[in-house]
Every structure is written in C-alpha cells, then in structure tokens.
Amino acid sequence: MEEGLCQNSIPGSGFVDKTRIVEAKPLRSLAPVLPKSLQSSFSGRYPSVFPPFVLFDEPQESQPSPAPMPAPLRSYRNPLDEEEAPHGSNGETSSPMEGLNGNSVDNSQKRAVPPMHSCKYSQKRSKKTKESQFDLSPSVGGISVATREDGDRELVNLVLMTYDSLRRRLCQLEDAKELNTTMAIKRADLRASNAMTVKAFRTNTRRRVGAVPGVEIGDIFFLRMEMCLVGLHGQSMSGIDYMTIKDELQEEPVALSIVSSGVYDNDAEDNDVLIYTGQGENFNKKDKHVIDQKLQRGNLALDRSSRRHNEVRVIRGLRDAANKNAKIYVYDGLYKIQDSWIERGKSGGGVFKYKFVRLPGQSSAFAVWKSVQKWKMSSSTSSRTGIILADLSTGVESIPVSLVNEVDNEKGPSFFTYFHSLRDPKPFSLAQSSYGCNCNKTCVPGDLSCSCIQRNEGDFPYTANGVLVSRKPLVHECGPLCKCFPNCKNRVSQTGLKHQMEVFKTKDRGWGLRSLDPIRAGTFICEYAGEVIDIAKS
C-alpha cells in the first residue's frame, strides 16, 4: 500500500517556538507522484515565501503562454460591481454558476449607478471599496483557447492550485469582514469559481465521453467546483452530467459522468460495481404524496448510455475524516452501465437503478480507499498485513501512529526513538524579547488591536477551519504570554495530530511517514521535532 503518501516529520510536543511553518504539499491523489515534466516545469519557479496563487489574464487566442508565477493576493483590489451577478428583466438573480458548463457569461447587464449628489452616498461607496482590497482583473498570464478546451496534467494542477489559493484568501477576507457580504454570491468556493469562470481560467471545457486530459484515476477533490473547473464533472450540484449527441438518425442525451454521493446507498459489495440511483425525488413536496421518478434529463441520459454502452466517468463522494460534515470526491475511473431496472424506494415511489461495472485494466482508487478505511476502523492488528506496532508513540499522541513494513522482515528503523518534544542539550534564549496579545478568550480576525495579528502583517494567518491562507517565511501564533484561551484559532500547530499517520518501510528509500487521510493544502500536519545535535559532536 503506497497510495496516499504524505511524507513529513515525526511529530513532537512541549513548548517551543512554534512560529515556523514547514511547507507541506496537499494529498490530492491516492498516488500523488508528480510526472517529471511537471517537476521540471515547477522547479525553481516559485520563491519559497510566495503563496501558490496566479493572477488572471484575458484568454489568449495565440499559442499557450508559459505558466504564470504566483503572486501575493493581499495587494489586489476587488471591484465589487464586477462580482455582482446580473439581474434579468424578470427580477430574478442570475445563478452564480452560470457559464460553468462551457456557456458564456454575459456581463453586459450592469446596475445603474445613481449620481453621487449626496455626501452620504459617496461615503457608502468609499466604505464598500475599502472592504474589498483584491482585484480579480487580469494581470499575468492566461489560458489559450486550445489548452482551455483540452488541458494536460500541469494545467489541471495549476487551475486547482489557483482556485484553492483564491478561495482561501476569500475565506480570510470574509472572516475579517473585509468583503461585502450583501452580494449575491456569499460562499467563498462559489465566488472563487465564478471569478475564474468569468476570466476563462479553467481547462477541459470541451465536452467529451471518456477520460479527461490531465485528470488521473485516484485524484482527490475537496469541492465540487474543483471538478467543474477541470472538466471532470460539469454540474455544480446535479449528480449526473450529460450532453446531447447527434447521429445519422436522431439526437439523444448520453451520460458523461456521475457523482455517487452515498445518500441513496449506492455502494455494492464489489468495489468494481456500483448500483446507482437515478435523480429526482420520489415524493411531491407540495402535496406530500409519493410519485415515481421520471425518465428525463439525467435519467434519460443514463438510459441511452446503457443502450449505447459508452464509457461513463464515476466519482465517489466520501466522508471527510477531518470534517464529518463535509465530503471529498475521488475519481474512480471509467465504468459502463451493465443493467438497469425500476424498484420501489424507501418512500414508496418508483426509482431508477443502474448497475455500473468498472472497466478492467485501470489503476485502483476506490478499492484502495476502502482498504484504508478498514485498517483505520479495525481494533485488532491481525487484520492488517505488515503491521509491527499499533502505536509507535506508545499513547503519547491522541491519534495512534502505527509502524508498518510490507516490504521485508525488518522490525523497525535502527537507532530510532520517538520524541514527543524538541530536545536541546543546551539552554537557549530568544534573540528578542517576546510579548503576547491581550485578546479576551480568542483572537478575532480583523481585530488590528491584536498584537499577534499585527505581527502577521495585519491578517489572521488561518481560515476558520485552521488552514493556512498562504505560505510565509514566518507565521506568528499565540504563545504562553498571550491572554487568549488555549482553543484560540491562532494556535493551530499546538493542537497536535489531526490526521492518522503511519511510519512505513519503502521499497528503496528506507523508512518514511504517510497519512491515511487526505490532506488539504495549507493544513497543519505535525511538528518538526527531534534532538538538537551540536555541530562539533555530529
């Protein structure tokens, strides 16, 4: 089991200066090994202190331009009128997801701006402009028409990285109340997706049956909007994505991809078989009586695909171990519909059922995920092959750290001791005097009177769920001299492990550390701890 590697250091504890953040890449795939072309193209391009964010440029009609260099988000302005969704003549607000499926977004409708005769109106406009201080307008680089329609692995990673950086920055501004929250789009994930769609900063917009260029089996997505931006699944909410195709005799819809969310007990015992329930509620909300699902839209597309035997992309929606209220999505490869039927649902109405069978010869994804879940849930060590110790930390960590060797008979790393804290044989003192904040209970984003926020250049460094907004050479967390409570959100690195880790034996690189949970970019993994060795004695 080498899928899902996430190498880092062995965690420790105890009071040390926990202001330095060790850079950690996200676990985005069950087999997160970057191709050589991507490694070479990224090497040396990103300064260590820059967050992974790219500004937008107008779509280029010429040859693809080189991937742009990331730049800090805090220096950009954000004109609010460009983000406000246009209103139609019937008074309904346009959907923030308009244009996600390859449709153009019409920005021609703009609200009339009243003349600024009054001082009061002028002050309101100034306040609005001050609340949003980043610009979504183009500046560096873009995506050509060709690469926008058909991408590759590098471009897919670039789009995902840019989206996540923008979303985190928006979350930071929302938490600090620096954004206008009266706008039509309030969620940061939708705002970021809408901004990238308007600027055509996306890829694989050409609708297709089968595999998507640059998206690999086992790739993990933390939000549905990520799948939309890279062309894996074009629907932001619906579980069935389809398109209409024409042949010599007729035109009919065919299914392109489905998202199995697990709401309808879609899983079968065989990991390569999926029993999928059609879309549409089988009860009438208004009259509260049971009705049957209808053979239309997505259901009709699945029915036609079962006759045509075309390939359908399957994405598995799974519970996020780090957040029980959220889901992650794993791309499980190509399937074909082998059978379909109608049965009675729990409420009594007729529902469509489709039997999906995975095409042979594809790398494992969902099967690996299921195996990992069994390892995590098993209370006995006998069911896990190669396990040496169930908890290498001997109970020091709140989450056990297992020791596993599935390669040979070695029983553990030589000369290895698990340190729970940083050990220095010599006493040391800080180069400069330290002081803490005077916040009551917890530090609040946007509170510039907080000395810890001031030391972080005026920004709260983490989002509400403890994710680092952008990479910095130094992040100041609250310490023992601060008056805020231990559960302050600016003490992320002091709360210990949040993901299940294990030390494992590799085939040709000794012992390593990996996670059994997917990890978001910017998430704290563990503290870099060990014994400090004097240079003279080394």
Side-chain angles (χ1 to χ4, degrees), residues 218-506:
D219 279 356
I220 293 176
F221 300 87
F222 294 98
L223 296 164
R224 292 186 66 135
M225 304 314 305
E226 295 176 331
M227 296 187 288
C228 295
L229 291 172
V230 299
L232 180 63
H233 187 76
Q235 301 294 327
S236 61
M237 296 183 64
S238 175
I240 305 173
D241 188 16
Y242 61 94
M243 65 179 291
T244 301
I245 63 172
K246 298 180 181 179
D247 54 24
E248 297 178 355
L249 300 177
Q250 60 182 346
E251 63 178 40
E252 59 183 7
V254 295
L256 304 180
S257 61
I258 62 168
V259 176
S260 175
S261 61
V263 176
Y264 303 104
D265 299 326
N266 294 329
D267 292 339
E269 293 184 3
D270 189 345
N271 291 330
D272 292 334
V273 175
L274 172 66
I275 306 301
Y276 186 78
T277 303
Q279 63 183 193
E281 298 174 347
N282 55 348
F283 64 90
N284 188 307
K285 288 184 177 180
K286 182 178 180 180
D287 300 326
K288 301 295 183 182
H289 65 268
V290 175
I291 59 175
D292 297 333
Q293 287 184 346
K294 298 180 180 179
L295 190 63
Q296 60 185 11
R297 298 189 292 274
N299 294 334
L300 180 60
L302 290 177
D303 179 75
R304 297 298 183 263
S305 291
S306 66
R307 299 180 185 181
R308 287 176 170 267
H309 302 288
N310 66 276
E311 300 170 340
V312 180
R313 301 185 293 271
V314 170
I315 300 105
R316 303 269 191 164
L318 307 164
R319 287 294 175 190
D320 188 351
N323 184 0
K324 301 300 181 182
N325 297 323
K327 286 185 178 180
I328 63 171
Y329 302 91
V330 178
Y331 175 46
D332 199 31
L334 301 176
Y335 284 65
K336 285 188 177 181
I337 303 176
Q338 189 179 82
D339 195 9
S340 62
W341 63 93
I342 299 177
E343 66 180 43
R344 291 293 166 187
K346 294 179 179 180
S347 59
V351 297
F352 294 103
K353 293 286 186 176
Y354 303 90
K355 181 180 180 180
F356 283 80
V357 178
R358 197 168 190 261
L359 299 184
Q362 302 180 90
S363 57
S364 299
F366 181 66
V368 173
W369 176 272
K370 295 290 285 186
S371 298
V372 170
Q373 301 312 302
K374 288 181 180 179
W375 296 341
K376 292 173 61 178
M377 296 175 62
S378 177
S379 57
S380 63
T381 60
S382 58
S383 60
R384 176 73 189 276
T385 304
I387 192 162
I388 301 172
L389 289 175
D391 186 9
L392 184 63
S393 73
T394 62
V396 172
E397 301 290 354
S398 58
I399 301 177
V401 181
S402 55
L403 179 64
V404 180
N405 185 354
E406 299 171 310
V407 177
D408 52 34
N409 296 323
E410 189 177 354
K411 296 303 180 181
S414 301
F415 309 107
F416 175 83
T417 303
Y418 193 97
F419 283 141
H420 182 56
S421 61
L422 187 66
R423 296 191 179 183
D424 193 337
K426 298 179 180 180
F428 66 93
S429 59
L430 297 175
Q432 57 184 9
S433 58
S434 180
Y435 58 92
C437 65
N438 295 316
C439 297
N440 183 24
K441 294 183 180 180
T442 182
C443 299
V444 179
D447 181 10
L448 297 182
S449 64
C450 171
S451 60
C452 292
I453 292 180
Q454 291 176 7
R455 296 170 73 184
N456 284 300
E457 301 177 1
D459 281 328
F460 200 86
Y462 300 106
T463 62
N465 58 351
V467 173
L468 189 67
V469 174
S470 60
R471 288 183 293 169
K472 296 181 179 181
L474 196 64
V475 173
H476 294 271
E477 287 197 352
C478 295
L481 299 180
C482 295
K483 294 185 178 180
C484 57
F485 287 2
N487 62 350
C488 176
K489 293 181 180 179
N490 195 32
R491 298 178 184 267
V492 172
S493 67
Q494 304 167 40
T495 57
L497 288 178
K498 292 295 184 292
H499 299 279
Q500 190 160 343
M501 316 292 289
E502 66 179 25
V503 177
F504 72 106
K505 181 67 180 295
T506 66

